[in-house]
Amino acid sequence: MIGNDVLYAAKLLKQGDVVAIPTETVYGLAANAFNPTAIAKIFEIKQRPSFNPLIVHVKDLDSIFEVAENIDERLMQLIKRFSPGPLSILVPKKSIIPDIVTAESPYVVVRIPNHPLTLNLLKLIDFPIAAPSANPYQYISPTSPLHVQKQLGNKIPYILDGGTCKVGIESTIVGIENNKVVIYRLGGISIEAIEETIGQIELKTESKSSKTPGQADKHYAPKKKIVIGNIKELVHLYSKKNIAVILFGNHDFISANNTTIYNLSETANLLEAASCLFNILHQIENSDADIIITELLPNMGLGKAINDRLLRASK
Ligand code: TXA
Ligand code: MG
């Protein structure tokens, strides 16, 4: 069921059920972070491997200290500056967070989502909620209630409808390694914005281990093949196929009989492109296209996070 009844969503969470919730980034699949049985349902519904930990969502800065401790000053500075908003921090967890949430890690990822309905929901309950993106494992993230409905509707009792996600890509995840601030996952807060706050940081978004945030090689992927490169050449190469072409800005590509054009932002605005990226992938998934052809966006601001999603989706 889809609706905007926050009280009902709170009731379900209190009784250990799973509810899809809106955030500014993507929809989350939420359960009581203190209740291991409820958390196990998330892994089951998403078909997510148990080694892949969940982000914990809290209502305000004070609540972070209910789940985490010994937080580095620089991470505190960042979370203060960008919360509520699309920034998550990887910090030492308190024992109140069950091991299933963090996949046995002594560290937990925490964030304060910037969505009025979900902030209200968090005020109605006396526990934080763990929530991965509300999509089946490795599939396209949901940015509207209908995306969740299509992918997981028959597996969850309620989808809290908070409209379309404004940011549209997941949160940026930062942590500390060797006393340096590192970014593990590019997301809704740009590297530039982070560096403006605390100086130079390190990027660690490629990892050999599948245990680190958002780094699984294949990710965010539609079932259709995505090919990235020179659009005109690729369209020529795949001329026998029905092609969905994803463009950005004012492009001189001319549509042909076998192509359908989707534009992430005709005015070449990276914020707009981020906000509609997953929606466009969902639209194409529902279309009769055989293949998706696109090119990378300018490698700046949210363009980096979008390129990261496109590259992982194309693997
Ligand atoms: O914007 C977001 O962050 C969305 C919304 C719903 O809040 N959530 C989200 O969750 O993107 P998910 O599970 O799709 O991605 C979280 C990433 C995963 O790659 C996971 O491995 C990593 O964060 N992660 C979570 N907790 C972790 C931990 N304790 N240690 C290392 N990585 C962690
Ligand atoms: Mg995800």
Side-chain angles (χ1 to χ4, degrees):
M1 198 175 34
I2 301 182
N4 56 12
D5 187 346
V6 187
L7 286 171
Y8 181 58
K11 179 177 167 237
L12 289 169
L13 290 172
K14 283 180 197 165
Q15 68 193 36
D17 277 324
V18 168
V19 175
I21 54 156
T23 82
E24 79 284 25
T25 59
V26 300
Y27 272 72
L29 194 60
N32 178 350
F34 293 157
N35 178 343
T37 320
I39 298 299
K41 293 183 189 168
I42 295 179
F43 284 95
E44 169 65 26
I45 294 169
K46 242 186 104 87
Q47 293 286 296
R48 182 175 177 117
S50 59
F51 60 74
N52 200 346
L54 310 180
I55 297 185
V56 171
H57 299 69
V58 296
K59 64 177 182 293
D60 55 25
L61 289 170
D62 285 344
S63 309
I64 293 178
F65 296 98
E66 285 169 23
V67 299
E69 57 195 0
N70 299 327
I71 303 177
D72 185 276
E73 203 36 56
R74 292 159 291 181
L75 297 185
M76 254 349 271
Q77 220 180 317
L78 287 172
I79 201 82
K80 279 184 187 156
R81 163 96 166 71
F82 295 110
S83 292
L87 185 83
S88 298
I89 52 175
L90 178 68
V91 286
K93 87 173 183 76
K94 280 194 169 159
S95 57
I96 191 165
I97 293 291
D99 286 339
I100 185 174
V101 171
T102 63
E104 314 283 324
S105 164
Y107 290 85
V108 63
V109 172
V110 194
R111 83 179 195 97
I112 307 170
N114 190 14
H115 193 292
L117 263 191
T118 292
L119 287 171
N120 277 347
L121 175 65
L122 283 165
K123 285 176 196 148
L124 291 171
I125 53 184
D126 57 2
F127 47 83
I129 49 186
S133 50
N135 51 293
Y137 184 57
Q138 293 189 327
Y139 197 59
I140 315 169
S141 301
T143 52
S144 83
L146 290 177
H147 297 159
V148 184
Q149 173 79 12
K150 186 182 74 176
Q151 298 181 330
L152 299 174
N154 58 352
K155 295 186 173 163
I156 48 180
Y158 199 58
I159 299 168
L160 186 61
D161 181 353
T164 302
C165 302
K166 293 212 163 69
V167 175
I169 49 173
E170 293 85 347
S171 60
T172 301
I173 305 180
V174 293
I176 301 285
E177 261 182 49
N178 302 323
N179 199 28
K180 287 200 176 120
V181 178
V182 296
I183 294 189
Y184 294 108
R185 179 175 71 181
L186 296 167
I189 301 288
S190 68
I191 300 178
E192 292 89 331
I194 288 174
E195 291 193 328
E196 215 172 82
T197 314
I198 50 150
Q200 219 196 344
I201 50 91
E202 250 177 72
L203 256 191
K204 273 219 160 173
T205 55
E206 302 303 328
S207 156
K208 282 104 243 149
S209 148
S210 55
K211 288 194 178 174
T212 30
Q215 296 173 330
D217 249 15
K218 183 174 175 67
H219 216 132
Y220 316 108
K223 295 195 175 107
K224 293 176 181 173
K225 181 180 162 87
I226 298 193
V227 188
I228 300 173
N230 181 296
I231 290 184
K232 287 180 193 165
E233 282 172 26
L234 287 171
V235 166
H236 187 68
L237 185 67
Y238 291 100
S239 59
K240 300 247 161 20
K241 292 195 184 286
N242 236 336
I243 307 172
V245 181
I246 305 180
L247 302 179
F248 174 72
N250 187 1
H251 204 286
D252 64 354
F253 173 75
I254 298 164
S255 192
N257 277 340
N258 63 329
T259 61
T260 308
I261 293 183
Y262 300 81
N263 201 317
L264 289 168
S265 167
E266 292 192 352
T267 56
N269 178 329
L270 291 168
L271 291 176
E272 184 185 20
S275 74
C276 65
L277 172 70
F278 288 134
N279 188 42
I280 285 180
L281 291 178
H282 278 279
Q283 275 182 47
I284 297 173
E285 196 71 338
N286 292 338
S287 77
D288 59 4
D290 309 312
I291 187 169
I292 304 168
I293 287 174
T294 190
E295 59 189 14
L296 292 180
L297 275 56
N299 208 31
M300 53 188 278
L302 293 197
K304 288 185 182 158
I306 297 169
N307 288 342
D308 171 83
R309 304 299 186 274
L310 289 173
L311 288 166
R312 286 179 210 268
S314 71
K315 293 230 163 110

